[in-house]
Amino acid sequence: MKIGLVLAQPPGYSETFFNSKINGLQAQGFEVTLFCQQNRSDFTACQVKTFPAKKRNPITLAFSFLTTYISLLPYLRRIVKWYRFEKPTNFIKFLKRVYLNAPLLKADLDWLHFGFGTMALGKESLAKVIGAKKAISFRGFDIGIYPIKHPNCYQKTWKYLDQLHVISNDLHQLAIKEGLPSTIPVVKITPAIDVHFFKPKELTSFQNSSSLKLISVGRLHWKKGFEETIRALNIVKKAGYDFTYTIIGEGDQYERIAYAAYEFGFLEHIRFLGKLSREEVKKEVEAAEIYIQYSIQEGFCNAVLEAQALGKLCIVSDAEGLSENVLHEQTGWVVPKIQPELLAEKIIAVSQLSAEEKNKITSRAMARVKEEFNIEKQQQAFVNFYQLPL
């Protein structure tokens, strides 16, 4: 079976979700091709075909157009078929779309799978044009945020969709709110982690202390809720607790987060470590006691799975998939989002639990991640995904 996966670029070393999917499919005899805007020389897991770049030099652009259209001559029927599906009002714009999507128009596939929902926009009918089944994945931003600014953006997508992949039940419900027909099959396949790598060298020795070791991993983006976390820590500080809060990740919100901590008078208690390798991330998480993911919007979050696997006490918000990632008061704690006062209360309450109570929570979390969110289980789920009768 031939699978075409559309992404912006090949997955990085740390993007286990896509890497494990590709490796698992290939191990089962599937042929996987990535279609990306750009490629990296170090990615060799499967064949990569890149979309034509938008050239600035008019001479270079004209030459690229010419060579691309010549290469598409054997696929003229597909172009005509796409034109009939689209019924474009602007022929010049349609020709540009043909140029930009040339690799897909030439592809011989059984499934065309868009790794993110927004990547299918403008390409809604292409799978049908090339005789392939169409799948898309919703992970968070593309169904939780993008439709807010672009209402009804997926109406055309539903028309040509054969199967939908979601990473949490909440994202499925959001898709229904955006008009997903009940006739389209939906399969939930959650993210997974390398449970053999994210295994603690030794179990955390919990000790009640007024000095807390807290950590979060994620892009410095508004949706990750770092400012709300800082506000909660101000309440924790006023309650007489000392703490060190480590933030791993980079992004354009660094100054806002740092300034908030500065205004509250505890910037020196915040460690901004930027982007780290997964080995360094593991080391830092192991050194902490409480992991916080107080996101405003979150599809699922691998970092929370990793923290649970490493035996950390996890406190998360109730944003989308996080309440499926962490089971409230069983494997961690779920706090309503954008309510720093409640987060502060929970941080203090968790810190005051006995070592026995903490160990019960972390033991259940570690066992659940190992059983439910391992890469092998995810790989088999994707094999089944493409073999479901439609």
Side-chain angles (χ1 to χ4, degrees), residues 126-160:
L126 268 176
K128 190 168 184 178
V129 168
I130 66 174
K133 293 184 176 69
K134 175 186 172 183
I136 64 172
S137 293
F138 281 143
R139 304 181 187 282
F141 170 84
D142 44 11
I143 191 64
I145 296 177
Y146 189 84
I148 296 174
K149 292 182 65 177
H150 306 85
N152 302 315
C153 59
Y154 293 118
Q155 295 310 303
K156 191 175 180 181
T157 293
W158 308 140
K159 181 179 179 181
Y160 296 102

Side-chain angles (χ1 to χ4, degrees), residues 213-217 244-248 284-285 288 290-292:
K213 293 182 180 179
L214 314 168
I215 193 168
S216 296
V217 180
T244 300
Y245 180 38
T246 299
I247 299 176
I248 299 175
E284 291 292 339
V285 173
I290 298 177
Y291 182 93
I292 299 174

Side-chain angles (χ1 to χ4, degrees), residues 93-381:
K93 287 186 178 180
F94 176 74
L95 289 179
K96 289 181 181 178
R97 290 174 64 190
V98 170
Y99 166 74
L100 293 172
N101 290 284
L104 292 179
L105 285 165
K106 294 186 282 187
D108 178 20
L109 302 169
D110 296 297
W111 279 91
L112 179 60
H113 192 149
F114 295 91
F116 297 89
T118 51
M119 303 208 73
L121 300 176
K123 301 177 177 66
E124 290 90 348
S125 60
L126 268 176
K128 190 168 184 178
V129 168
I130 66 174
K133 293 184 176 69
K134 175 186 172 183
I136 64 172
S137 293
F138 281 143
R139 304 181 187 282
F141 170 84
D142 44 11
I143 191 64
I145 296 177
Y146 189 84
I148 296 174
K149 292 182 65 177
H150 306 85
N152 302 315
C153 59
Y154 293 118
Q155 295 310 303
K156 191 175 180 181
T157 293
W158 308 140
K159 181 179 179 181
Y160 296 102
L161 185 61
D162 291 293
Q163 193 158 258
L164 176 65
H165 160 234
V166 296
I167 62 174
S168 71
N169 293 328
D170 278 352
L171 296 189
H172 182 189
Q173 293 304 310
L174 287 176
I176 291 174
K177 289 181 180 179
E178 290 300 319
L180 173 71
S182 59
T183 53
I184 295 176
V186 179
V187 179
K188 184 179 80 168
I189 304 175
T190 65
I193 64 169
D194 184 348
V195 295
H196 306 291
F197 178 82
F198 288 99
K199 184 178 180 180
K201 294 179 181 178
E202 57 184 32
L203 295 179
T204 303
S205 178
F206 294 112
Q207 298 178 353
N208 287 331
S209 170
S210 60
S211 182
L212 308 177
K213 293 182 180 179
L214 314 168
I215 193 168
S216 296
V217 180
R219 289 181 298 124
L220 305 188
H221 188 278
W222 66 264
K223 78 170 195 169
K224 294 296 183 178
F226 284 115
E227 285 192 79
E228 285 71 21
T229 303
I230 295 297
R231 291 189 180 96
L233 291 180
N234 184 48
I235 299 172
V236 171
K237 178 174 176 287
K238 288 181 177 179
Y241 288 81
D242 189 20
F243 61 85
T244 300
Y245 180 38
T246 299
I247 299 176
I248 299 175
E250 56 187 15
D252 60 7
Q253 297 294 301
Y254 165 75
E255 290 184 353
R256 289 179 64 92
I257 301 165
Y259 188 74
Y262 169 78
E263 282 284 279
F264 289 131
F266 54 78
L267 181 58
E268 68 275 11
H269 295 283
I270 312 295
R271 300 170 67 227
F272 291 97
L273 301 187
K275 184 178 181 180
L276 300 180
S277 68
R278 72 170 189 162
E279 289 80 11
E280 292 170 319
V281 170
K282 179 184 177 183
K283 181 180 178 180
E284 291 292 339
V285 173
E286 283 189 300
E289 180 174 319
I290 298 177
Y291 182 93
I292 299 174
Q293 194 73 47
Y294 199 55
S295 301
I296 296 170
Q297 191 281 319
E298 191 72 63
F300 203 83
C301 193
N302 276 30
V304 174
L305 291 177
E306 294 166 0
Q308 290 177 88
L310 290 171
K312 302 298 117 177
L313 299 164
C314 292
I315 304 175
V316 303
S317 76
D318 60 354
E320 283 80 42
L322 285 175
S323 57
E324 295 175 50
N325 192 322
V326 171
L327 301 182
H328 183 54
E329 295 187 343
Q330 296 181 50
T331 63
W333 297 268
V334 180
V335 178
K337 61 186 179 182
I338 323 178
Q339 297 191 48
E341 297 83 6
L342 296 182
L343 175 60
E345 289 176 9
K346 186 57 64 179
I347 292 172
I348 293 171
V350 169
S351 72
Q352 293 177 342
L353 293 174
S354 68
E356 181 181 3
E357 290 172 310
K358 292 175 181 178
N359 284 324
K360 284 182 180 179
I361 290 286
T362 57
S363 295
R364 284 196 291 261
M366 292 169 69
R368 179 170 179 258
V369 171
K370 184 177 180 179
E371 177 66 26
E372 297 294 329
F373 302 103
N374 62 79
I375 287 175
E376 293 76 16
K377 184 173 182 178
Q378 182 206 75
Q379 288 175 332
Q380 185 57 52

